[in-house]
């Protein structure tokens, strides 16, 4: 007789939402997490009263009313609006590409002038774009490409834009309004008590075993529950039988500075090729509900370096090219034959998922499973 209805592998957002839903329906769950703390990639650390996003800047944004309503049951969100600044060799530009950016680059004032500039520069590409460079120029022209896309993208992928496939950039949103709000979603913000508290509340009432790797103890753990919800990497689950799915890695360098305010904004992108990191996050700027933090004499920053990835490292961005997609489909076919295992979350689906999509998926799976 199984002791639990569900064994949930992974205490990230997907696992925590599924656990909350199962618990609310009276199901017994055991969550196992190989890391020493819950939260997956939204986990934070508290230092000098500042919440530090341990795995890169996480800004919650959604246009799904159901998801917004749901997360607000477990967290109050502040009014943070993501308005990153691009730093190209000391020249500063607003992001996303909008009228402020166009004014800073060309001195233009009206949308018609900006559209004319972009339109004429786009004509540099007359053929079907053969690589990422041509694709980007065909969408936004040469100036924006050179200053704001080229160096950043080359650092991110570790390859020259002429060697990268065009499909990586399908569209580049261009906004002909003076609007620096990076996301166009209806709702956005940061949990005032931090992401750890959100996860804690979602997992309230559920047994969680940290430092427990399901794959190391699979035979024993699998007998404990009727069904498994697996949110780890799908290729790892099948012992890499068809080969390894590729990821792009990241390295974070976090530092305490004896300064009140280091860069004046939460996210600054470094878009030249020479600066080795892509972004600096200054964490206190996420806490717009606590302006007194700005008067505190210390601040915490994180430099984000793109990195090669190898098995055993944290997997951040899936490389969804044709090879990996085909390989993933083979694993997904195999996964469908595992009748007592539900695969979910970003690693289970080998997709880049924003948090709201992860929540929506977990809610839909829980409903399909239990209602
Ligand atoms: C750099 C970066 C920035 C991001 N910024 C944003 C943002 O601004 N806004 C946004 O909406 N989204 C953002 N995201 C996406 C967000 O991180 C994800 O949507 C979310 O964290 C995914 O949750 P998950 O539960 O699917 O996966 P994860 O958070 O990866 O959780 C999976 C958990 O499973 C555990 N696990 C894996 N295998 C095993 C095993 N064998 N045994 C036990 N445990 C196991 C892992 O340790 C992990 O804790 C960002 C992602 C990255 C990489």
């Amino acid at each position: 007789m199984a002791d639990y209805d569900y064994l949930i592998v992974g205490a990230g957002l997907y696992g925590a939402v599924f656990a909350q839903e199962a618990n609310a329906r009276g199901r017994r769950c055991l969550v196992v997490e190989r890391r020493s703390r819950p939260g997956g990639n939204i986990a934070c650390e508290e230092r000098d009263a500042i919440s530090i996003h341990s795995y890169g800047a996480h800004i919650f944004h959604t246009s799904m009313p159901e998801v917004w309503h749901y997360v607000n049951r477990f967290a109050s969100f502040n009014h943070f609006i993501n308005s990153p600044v691009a730093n190209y060799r000391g020249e500063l530009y607003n992001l996303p590409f909008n009228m402020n950016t166009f004014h800073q680059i060309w001195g233009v004032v009206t949308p018609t002038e900006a559209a004319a500039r972009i339109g004429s520069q786009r004509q540099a590409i007359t053929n079907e774009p053969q690589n990422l460079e041509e694709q980007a120029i065909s969408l936004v022209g040469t100036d924006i490409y050179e200053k704001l896309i080229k160096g950043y993208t080359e650092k991110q992928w570790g390859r020259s834009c002429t060697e990268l496939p065009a499909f990586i950039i399908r569209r580049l949103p261009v906004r002909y309004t003076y609007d620096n709000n990076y996301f166009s979603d209806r709702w956005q913000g940061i949990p005032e008590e931090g992401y750890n508290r959100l996860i804690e509340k979602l997992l309230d009432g559920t047994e969680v075993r940290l430092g427990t790797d399901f794959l190391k103890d699979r035979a024993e753990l699998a007998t404990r529950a009727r069904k498994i919800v697996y949110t780890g990497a799908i290729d790892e689950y099948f012992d890499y039988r068809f080969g390894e799915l590729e990821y792009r890695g990241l390295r974070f360098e976090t530092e305490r500075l004896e300064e009140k305010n280091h860069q004046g904004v939460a996210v600054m992108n470094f878009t030249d090729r020479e600066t080795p990191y892509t972004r600096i996050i200054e964490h206190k700027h996420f806490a717009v509900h606590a302006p007194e933090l700005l008067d505190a004499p210390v601040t915490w920053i994180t430099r984000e370096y793109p990195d090669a990835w190898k098995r055993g490292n944290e997997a951040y961005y899936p490389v969804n090219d044709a090879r990996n997609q085909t390989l993933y489909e083979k694993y997904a076919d195999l996964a469908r034959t595992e009748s007592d295992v539900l695969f979910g979350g970003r690693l289970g689906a080998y997709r880049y998922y924003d948090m709201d999509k992860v929540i929506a998926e977990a809610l839909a799976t829980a409903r399909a499973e239990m209602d």
Side-chain angles (χ1 to χ4, degrees):
M1 224 342 232
D3 322 330
Y4 300 97
D5 294 301
Y6 294 101
L7 172 73
I8 301 172
V9 180
L13 192 55
Y14 189 99
V17 168
F18 191 93
Q20 167 64 222
E21 291 305 289
N23 203 13
R25 290 168 173 84
R27 306 301 205 276
R28 291 158 305 150
C29 299
L30 171 64
V31 176
V32 293
E33 168 56 58
R34 61 156 64 130
R35 294 184 189 170
S36 58
R37 55 186 178 144
N41 281 356
I42 68 171
C44 293
E45 280 156 76
E46 191 90 0
R47 296 273 184 275
D48 296 311
I50 298 167
S51 188
I52 297 170
H53 298 202
S54 308
Y55 302 92
H58 275 78
I59 298 137
F60 192 88
H61 57 99
T62 189
S63 290
M64 290 183 267
E66 188 205 359
V67 170
W68 183 240
H69 180 68
Y70 185 79
V71 282
N72 275 276
R73 281 173 46 201
F74 305 96
S76 293
F77 284 78
N78 71 15
H79 56 287
F80 178 81
I81 300 279
N82 192 26
S83 313
V85 170
N87 184 326
Y88 176 75
R89 299 179 176 160
E91 296 169 19
L92 300 186
Y93 298 100
N94 289 113
L95 295 174
F97 312 139
N98 72 83
M99 283 306 299
N100 290 306
T101 330
F102 308 144
H103 179 71
Q104 288 147 355
I105 291 190
W106 301 306
V108 295
V109 172
T110 67
T112 308
E113 288 171 294
R117 286 280 185 149
I118 291 177
S120 75
Q121 293 196 0
R122 288 174 58 180
Q123 286 169 15
I125 305 297
T126 49
N127 53 309
E128 181 65 27
Q130 297 300 307
N131 54 47
L132 191 146
E133 175 169 294
E134 293 183 2
Q135 173 76 348
I137 295 173
S138 75
L139 292 169
V140 291
T142 43
D143 287 340
I144 294 176
Y145 168 69
E146 291 291 340
K147 292 191 168 187
L148 300 178
I149 297 172
K150 186 175 190 291
Y152 190 88
T153 309
E154 292 187 345
K155 288 190 282 192
Q156 205 163 28
W157 292 98
R159 275 153 75 185
S160 146
C161 283
T162 52
E163 291 166 16
L164 286 166
F167 82 84
I168 292 182
I169 296 186
R170 288 214 175 80
R171 4 172 255 121
L172 282 171
V174 172
R175 228 180 248 167
Y176 292 102
T177 51
Y178 287 92
D179 179 3
N180 297 329
N181 180 351
Y182 194 78
F183 300 114
S184 23
D185 279 320
R186 167 126 187 230
W187 296 287
Q188 99 180 259
I190 305 284
E192 292 189 0
E193 292 183 87
Y195 287 101
N196 289 357
R197 186 83 187 106
L198 166 64
I199 290 286
E200 243 172 61
K201 285 197 172 171
L202 287 167
L203 289 173
D204 192 25
T206 300
E207 187 181 341
V208 181
R209 280 195 210 157
L210 299 173
T212 305
D213 188 334
F214 166 73
L215 297 174
K216 291 212 170 112
D217 213 359
R218 186 194 296 233
E220 202 273 316
L221 285 168
T223 61
R224 307 290 306 276
R226 275 193 312 111
K227 267 195 166 176
I228 295 171
V229 176
Y230 178 85
T231 74
I234 192 166
D235 54 350
E236 192 181 6
Y237 178 91
F238 292 110
D239 209 15
Y240 305 101
R241 130 172 17 168
F242 304 129
E244 192 174 271
L245 290 164
E246 286 173 289
Y247 284 88
R248 189 79 183 128
L250 286 175
R251 184 166 61 82
F252 299 107
E253 192 181 83
T254 296
E255 196 180 346
R256 181 182 196 263
L257 301 175
E258 307 254 334
E259 264 182 81
K260 274 189 180 176
N261 185 357
H262 180 66
Q263 64 182 15
V265 68
V267 182
M268 187 171 285
N269 289 9
F270 291 79
T271 58
D272 63 296
R273 185 72 186 83
E274 296 74 31
T275 306
Y277 40 86
T278 44
R279 310 200 275 187
I280 293 184
I281 310 304
E282 186 172 11
H283 301 273
K284 66 162 56 171
H285 294 297
F286 288 126
V288 285
H289 59 285
E292 67 281 1
L293 277 181
L294 272 183
D295 295 325
V298 292
T299 192
W300 283 82
I301 61 162
T302 300
R303 295 183 196 87
E304 191 174 306
Y305 297 81
D307 208 357
W309 174 85
K310 61 177 186 333
R311 202 190 285 183
N313 292 1
E314 272 320 320
Y316 286 103
Y317 296 111
V319 181
N320 293 105
D321 61 8
R323 176 206 167 263
N324 285 297
Q325 220 35 54
T326 307
L327 191 54
Y328 167 70
E329 293 305 334
K330 284 175 80 173
Y331 282 119
D333 284 344
L334 206 53
R336 280 186 272 277
T337 66
E338 298 274 288
S339 53
D340 293 336
V341 185
L342 303 166
F343 291 82
R346 65 179 195 105
L347 295 164
Y350 191 61
R351 279 185 56 183
Y352 177 84
Y353 269 139
D354 275 326
M355 291 180 273
D356 63 331
K357 306 291 182 312
V358 166
I359 294 172
E361 286 275 338
L363 289 176
T365 306
R367 231 179 272 126
E369 249 309 284
M370 294 180 274
D371 291 350

